[in-house]
Amino acid sequence: MKFGKVFKRVVVFIAIFTLLVGSCLLSYSKSSSTIKLGVNLELSGAVAQYGQRALEGIKMATDEINKKGGILGKKIELVIFDNKSDKTEALNIATRLATKENVLAILGCTTSGATKSAAVAAMKYKIPIISPTATDDKLTLDERTGKTKAYVFRVCFNDSFQGDVMAKFALKTLKVKSVAIIYDASSDYSKGLEKNFKVAFTKGGGKIVAEEAFAKSEQEFSGILTKIKAKNPEAIFAPVYYDEAGLIIKQARELGIKVPIMGGDGFDDPKVAEKAGSKYANNVYFSTHYSGQDPDKKVQDFIKKYKQLYKNEPNAFVATSYDLVYLVADAIKRANSTTDREKLRKALEDTKNFAGVTGVITINKYHNAQKAAVIIELKNGVQVFKQKINP
Amino acid sequence: MSTFVQQLINGITLGSVYALIALGYTMVYGILKFINFAHGDVFMLGAYIGFLAAVYLKLNLVGCLIAAMVFCALCGIIVEKIAYKPLRNSPKISILITAIGVSLFLENFMQLIMGADSRVFPRLIEEKNYHFLHGNIVVNNKQVYLLIITIILMIVLNYIVKNTKIGKAMRAVSQDMDAAKLMGIDIDKTISYTFAIGSSLAGAAGVLVGLYYNTINPLMGVLPGIKAFIAAVFGGIGVIPGALLGGFSLGIIETFVSGYGSSMYKDAVAFAILVLILLFKPAGLLGKSLKEKV
């Protein structure tokens, strides 16, 4: 009896031990034959659309690279985590990816707030983090010293460029002199864009007649819109995410506000037109990273491939994330190492004239991508390419 | 002047939503003397049922409203039977904590099955805008629907409580549960009815809000739930016309704060009102202060 018990325990112990060692060996052998890239995205929560579309772009590019034989003879393996559109969660995931998962670099997040938070871990553990779409100016800069953060990159333009572009567009193309602003005071993205637009627009001779702030997840805008209507602005600038964008457009039009409504790349989602209703989604303009109506062959090929895979139109989030993977792959190739984070960082810094779907990208000394912005107009809910503005 | 009137209309619309949800809080409180914190999430369930009924069963507005009200009524009864009934003789704090648990369960369960992303609510009615004073004042038909349905439901509710047998039973249970039992009233049945009616009102509110903002998400019940609770306390918790008065007052106050002050302060003002009411008139505007029975 007693011997049987001891025997059983020994057997169980050996079984567990073999499993543990076996799985360690397995994962070890697996990790040494692939290049592990961490993915830290908003797959659920308030801006889930951004993360989900970005993941489509990342997966699509990864599959293409792997099918062609990978980079330096190794395939890319994605380690994907959902940060639930939450800043704290983004930081936790970045820490886990840098330490436990031991990835070469982190791809993501899509929003400025989450990326800023994840960047803290990236700086601490010296691992490159590259965002496809976070546009806040301060993202790549140290708040105190103003110096570039060594490990933080993005493959998109920043808000001061986007703010400038929209201010120029308002003054020159729309020819408006007075603008009312509605922004989300709980979002780094919204606040940054609001500030940069204001500076550029007033410098160009325009006047800001009203500045209205709201807090996260607001649904009822008719109070502030009624107030704005009484001030008769010639246009409204609302640098917000898609959920609020749709509601603001709808409620403004219902109140009889007919002036143009402008925004940033946060407007680049079909949900804006769905929420506003195609009847109301008119006279809306926003800046973004790419347009599907660009006749460039590279762009059209990308759209064709995406449509085959997902039966849908790709938006800027898909396109920048697709470029992100190719840009990182290119840097790994130049760094000539699949494990050295420091060499990869250096190679990312040296990226010049990388031809992507969203344009020709050069990483400048602030780790921002220098490339053109595109202005899109909504006509009955349909995105129409308006113009391209170079830096 | 026209801006003022327009803000008043905006406020009344928001107020109707708060009032509808507050009615459910007030009913349950009036009878069981506890705050059902899961009520805001039943409101969210109603919005999702309306959404599913419209998308998959292709029902019209009235059909969606009925589907949501029936489903939420059932939900209310089930929640009461599973979560609150076993604790009926426990301290009030246990039920309160359970209610918070139910609330978190509903929020996360819906995120699990429906996804955390917000959805676009289908357009159930043709949108129309009515213009007054050379287009300076705009009222749309959804606002009219919201207000009219709120008032109709409130009248029906008042009739049920005042003139029907079940209403009489509710009032008896609210006065003294044990004495009511001795007089032959089925307590369990009465409480089930209370939850059913309160939850069905929240369900109706969910559909109407989905229709008005045409966007729904699994966490949409959190803030309106708290606001409706404030509205119920403001008007006098346990008093049916009080919930209506509280709801409309809070909606109008919030809109005026964001219209003439800043949108950033409106939640702060709502909570400040709650604190002030609790300090100076704990029974609410229409509530009578009762002495604690010894």
Side-chain angles (χ1 to χ4, degrees):
Chain A
M1 253 335 242
K2 209 177 172 195
F3 174 74
K5 227 178 191 175
V6 171
F7 180 72
K8 243 189 215 163
R9 272 189 196 169
V10 170
V11 168
V12 169
F13 177 75
I14 291 173
I16 291 174
F17 186 76
T18 349
L19 269 177
L20 276 177
V21 173
S23 63
C24 281
L25 283 174
L26 265 179
S27 69
Y28 178 75
S29 65
K30 206 178 167 197
S31 69
S32 65
S33 69
T34 57
I35 302 166
K36 278 172 100 179
L37 292 178
V39 177
N40 183 352
L41 286 177
E42 293 80 350
L43 299 176
S44 65
V47 290
Q49 278 294 317
Y50 295 158
Q52 284 168 8
R53 298 316 281 284
L55 186 62
E56 287 173 359
I58 288 176
K59 277 188 169 162
M60 190 175 150
T62 307
D63 287 347
E64 284 175 18
I65 293 171
N66 284 346
K67 261 184 207 148
K68 282 180 214 150
I71 318 159
L72 303 171
K74 285 185 185 177
K75 298 215 160 142
I76 301 175
E77 181 195 347
L78 297 175
V79 184
I80 303 164
F81 284 104
D82 171 16
N83 64 33
K84 302 185 180 107
S85 308
D86 183 89
K87 288 184 199 176
T88 322
E89 198 65 25
L91 173 61
N92 293 342
I93 289 171
T95 310
R96 180 167 175 180
L97 286 169
T99 56
K100 197 158 164 274
E101 306 291 340
N102 211 12
V103 297
L104 178 60
I106 300 171
L107 313 181
C109 322
T110 61
T111 57
S112 300
T115 315
K116 247 191 207 172
S117 166
V120 175
M123 289 304 286
K124 189 171 170 199
Y125 299 105
K126 300 196 181 338
I127 179 170
I129 182 167
I130 315 107
S131 168
T133 49
T135 50
D136 185 350
D137 281 10
K138 287 188 204 123
L139 177 72
T140 56
L141 302 177
D142 191 299
E143 306 248 347
R144 271 172 299 143
T145 62
K147 278 190 191 145
T148 309
K149 288 184 198 161
Y151 294 90
V152 188
F153 296 86
R154 59 180 141 208
V155 297
C156 54
F157 45 68
N158 58 345
D159 283 339
S160 40
F161 176 58
Q162 205 173 186
D164 275 357
V165 164
M166 285 320 286
K168 258 184 219 157
F169 175 77
L171 290 164
K172 292 195 179 131
T173 312
L174 294 178
K175 298 201 172 21
V176 294
K177 285 275 168 239
S178 65
V179 165
I181 302 179
I182 304 176
Y183 69 101
D184 180 350
S186 62
S187 148
D188 293 344
Y189 163 79
S190 199
K191 279 192 294 188
L193 209 47
E194 186 259 348
K195 207 180 106 218
N196 290 312
F197 176 86
K198 197 166 71 184
V199 171
F201 190 69
T202 39
K203 212 183 256 172
K207 208 176 142 218
I208 308 288
V209 291
E211 259 177 274
E212 294 297 327
F214 63 89
K216 205 179 168 182
S217 306
E218 181 60 78
Q219 290 207 315
E220 179 61 59
F221 298 98
S222 37
I224 47 183
L225 285 168
T226 304
K227 191 172 164 187
I228 284 174
K229 189 185 175 188
K231 297 207 169 140
N232 284 321
E234 289 174 78
I236 293 175
F237 181 60
V240 297
Y241 294 141
Y242 61 84
D243 256 349
E244 288 91 18
L247 286 168
I248 289 175
I249 295 169
K250 182 181 163 63
Q251 291 175 20
R253 298 296 185 237
E254 277 177 352
L255 283 169
I257 300 176
K258 295 188 181 78
V259 299
I261 297 177
M262 302 179 289
D265 57 334
F267 274 46
D268 195 357
D269 194 281
K271 280 222 165 144
V272 172
E274 273 177 56
K275 287 194 176 176
S278 48
K279 182 169 80 169
Y280 293 130
N282 271 314
N283 211 4
V284 174
Y285 305 90
F286 59 89
S287 56
T288 190
H289 312 273
Y290 130 107
S291 163
Q293 287 157 353
D294 194 328
D296 194 77
K297 189 179 174 298
K298 207 175 167 81
V299 177
Q300 291 308 322
D301 279 352
F302 159 73
I303 294 172
K304 220 165 85 191
K305 277 186 274 179
Y306 178 83
K307 272 187 181 162
Q308 276 172 358
L309 276 172
Y310 297 102
K311 317 263 173 280
N312 199 351
E313 290 280 336
N315 66 2
F317 285 81
V318 183
T320 48
S321 306
Y322 179 84
D323 275 357
L324 166 68
V325 178
Y326 271 104
L327 190 137
V328 170
D330 173 65
I332 295 173
K333 221 178 280 169
R334 281 186 284 113
N336 200 19
S337 163
T338 56
T339 46
D340 195 328
R341 291 172 178 174
E342 199 53 43
K343 276 186 186 160
L344 174 63
R345 187 191 78 77
K346 192 80 198 40
L348 281 169
E349 253 176 7
D350 295 338
T351 304
K352 275 194 186 71
N353 299 325
F354 169 83
V357 169
T358 60
V360 178
I361 300 169
T362 295
I363 300 290
N364 67 14
K365 63 175 175 172
Y366 304 112
H367 291 188
N368 301 324
Q370 265 179 326
K371 63 178 174 191
V374 160
I375 302 233
I376 297 209
E377 179 181 2
L378 287 183
K379 272 188 182 158
N380 289 320
V382 180
Q383 292 196 355
V384 180
F385 176 78
K386 182 95 182 157
Q387 66 187 84
K388 206 168 195 170
I389 297 184
N390 284 304
Chain B
M1 182 60 199
S2 62
T3 310
F4 178 83
V5 176
Q6 183 69 55
Q7 295 289 24
L8 199 62
I9 294 166
N10 299 337
I12 290 171
T13 314
L14 188 62
S16 321
V17 177
Y18 292 156
L20 262 182
I21 312 174
L23 283 173
Y25 269 113
T26 265
M27 281 188 69
V28 169
Y29 184 86
I31 291 175
L32 288 173
K33 299 280 176 294
F34 100 91
I35 293 148
N36 178 15
F37 270 117
H39 193 69
D41 299 295
V42 174
F43 154 80
M44 174 271 295
L45 281 184
Y48 271 88
I49 295 303
F51 169 79
L52 295 173
V55 172
Y56 295 106
L57 304 177
K58 308 263 181 272
L59 295 180
N60 61 6
L61 176 61
V62 179
C64 288
L65 270 176
I66 292 170
M69 287 176 81
V70 170
F71 182 86
C72 288
L74 287 175
C75 257
I77 294 171
I78 293 167
V79 164
E80 195 272 327
K81 290 269 189 261
I82 293 175
Y84 304 145
K85 198 181 160 200
L87 295 170
R88 207 172 282 159
N89 295 319
S90 315
K92 284 272 155 3
I93 191 80
S94 317
I95 309 190
L96 200 68
I97 293 166
T98 312
I100 294 170
V102 171
S103 159
L104 289 173
F105 168 76
L106 289 177
E107 283 160 21
N108 288 291
F109 181 70
M110 285 308 277
Q111 291 195 40
L112 193 67
I113 61 167
M114 298 301 294
D117 199 17
S118 69
R119 281 161 192 271
V120 178
F121 201 82
R123 287 183 168 65
L124 293 168
I125 51 171
E126 193 60 41
E127 288 165 14
K128 267 189 216 114
N129 293 330
Y130 308 109
H131 297 267
F132 303 97
L133 289 178
H134 314 291
N136 282 327
I137 295 169
V138 188
V139 181
N140 67 50
N141 55 348
K142 287 180 297 178
Q143 290 173 312
V144 179
Y145 273 98
L146 201 56
L147 183 63
I148 290 178
I149 294 175
T150 304
I151 290 172
I152 291 175
L153 289 174
M154 148 85 189
I155 292 170
V156 171
L157 181 68
N158 216 29
Y159 176 81
I160 291 174
V161 173
K162 287 263 161 65
N163 301 330
T164 63
K165 212 168 174 186
I166 192 72
K168 252 182 219 166
M170 281 176 187
R171 281 182 289 146
V173 172
S174 78
Q175 281 201 343
D176 190 327
M177 205 184 271
D178 293 322
K181 206 188 251 168
L182 289 175
M183 300 321 272
I185 290 172
D186 187 341
I187 304 284
D188 288 341
K189 206 171 108 186
T190 311
I191 290 174
S192 288
Y193 270 109
T194 310
F195 269 89
I197 295 172
S199 302
S200 69
L201 291 174
V207 175
L208 292 171
V209 165
L211 183 76
Y212 184 62
Y213 294 117
N214 73 16
T215 170
I216 57 173
N217 72 70
L219 296 180
M220 67 187 278
V222 180
L223 210 54
I226 296 173
K227 295 283 177 58
F229 166 65
I230 296 173
V233 173
F234 187 73
I237 194 153
V239 188
I240 288 174
L244 211 63
L245 177 72
F248 283 120
S249 312
L250 190 64
I252 293 167
I253 291 169
E254 271 193 10
T255 310
F256 277 98
V257 169
S258 52
Y260 290 97
S262 159
S263 193
M264 298 297 291
Y265 299 127
K266 65 181 214 183
D267 291 351
V269 170
F271 291 110
I273 289 172
L274 180 68
V275 172
L276 287 178
I277 287 286
L278 289 176
L279 278 177
F280 294 109
K281 204 168 182 310
L285 289 184
L286 300 184
K288 289 183 224 75
S289 46
L290 291 173
K291 285 214 177 82
E292 196 65 36
K293 274 176 279 186
V294 185

